[in-house]
Structure formats: structure tokens, C-alpha cells
Amino acid sequence: MQRTLSDISYTTDEVTLAVIAKALGHPVRIKILRLLAGEACCFTGELTSLIPMAQSTISQHLKALLEAGLIQGEINPPKVKYCIHRENWAKAQALFGEFFACEKSGGCNC
């Protein structure tokens, strides 16, 4: 009998780690996170001056980061302010740390 992914149960941490990893799967998103991590907050208009891409493209990447919970936004028309979601950022660091520590310890207790 062949198994499918839907036959397997996953822990909350496994699902969370996969969502975050997917959001990190594009170099523009990594660049955005690095820029935001170095600042208290950032307006999207500033991002287009730092990343030479169309505003609509930057917005799509910001949406993916928002959906993964890595950033948060505040709408103050006509601009939207984005910054790192510090609590979720710390959770992501911890999850990746645990994930990569499994290899070093010779076994995974995750």
C-alpha cells in the first residue's frame, strides 16, 4: 500500500517550521528580513529604493512573510509600515536551532 503525505501526522512545530522555511525560500524575502531586522520598522516605499523591484513585486513578498508570521504591518494611509514580528522571529530561530541541532547530537529528539 502506498502512503501519501496526508496519511502522516505532523507536530505543530513541524508544520510551523515548514511554513517558515517556505517563506524563506526566496532571496528577496531573505533580503527584506535582513533589512527589517536591522531597523525598528520600515515603510514599503523605502524598500523599493533599497531593492530595485516594482512595488507590486515587493508587496507579494511582504505578503508571504506576513502570512508566515515573520513580519507584522501597520496601516497608516497612504503608507504601510512593516517590521519584524519579534515573538515569531524568536520562535523561528528556536525551531531552526532545534532542527539543525539534531544532526550534531547524532539523533533527533525534536
Side-chain angles (χ1 to χ4, degrees):
M1 180 176 182
Q2 189 175 22
R3 294 186 69 166
T4 65
L5 289 177
S6 61
D7 295 337
I8 302 169
S9 62
Y10 303 100
T11 67
T12 301
D13 284 351
E14 289 168 336
V15 172
T16 301
L17 188 60
V19 168
I20 293 167
K22 183 177 180 181
L24 295 174
H26 196 287
V28 170
R29 294 182 198 145
I30 300 293
K31 186 167 216 42
I32 289 169
L33 287 170
R34 282 194 170 158
L35 290 168
L36 294 179
E39 301 292 327
C41 288
C42 184
F43 288 96
T44 57
E46 295 172 6
L47 288 176
T48 56
S49 66
L50 298 171
I51 303 171
M53 299 183 117
Q55 178 63 47
S56 60
T57 303
I58 297 288
S59 293
Q60 289 174 346
H61 289 296
L62 287 166
K63 181 180 177 192
L65 294 170
L66 272 167
E67 289 173 351
L70 293 172
I71 63 172
Q72 56 191 1
E74 181 180 311
I75 299 172
N76 290 321
K79 295 189 177 192
V80 180
K81 182 172 56 173
Y82 290 101
C83 54
I84 294 290
H85 190 297
R86 298 292 175 191
E87 182 180 331
N88 291 347
W89 187 252
K91 175 72 173 176
Q93 289 175 320
L95 288 172
F96 275 104
E98 290 169 9
F99 179 75
F100 287 113
C102 292
E103 184 179 320
K104 288 182 190 175
S105 66
C108 190
N109 295 324
C110 306

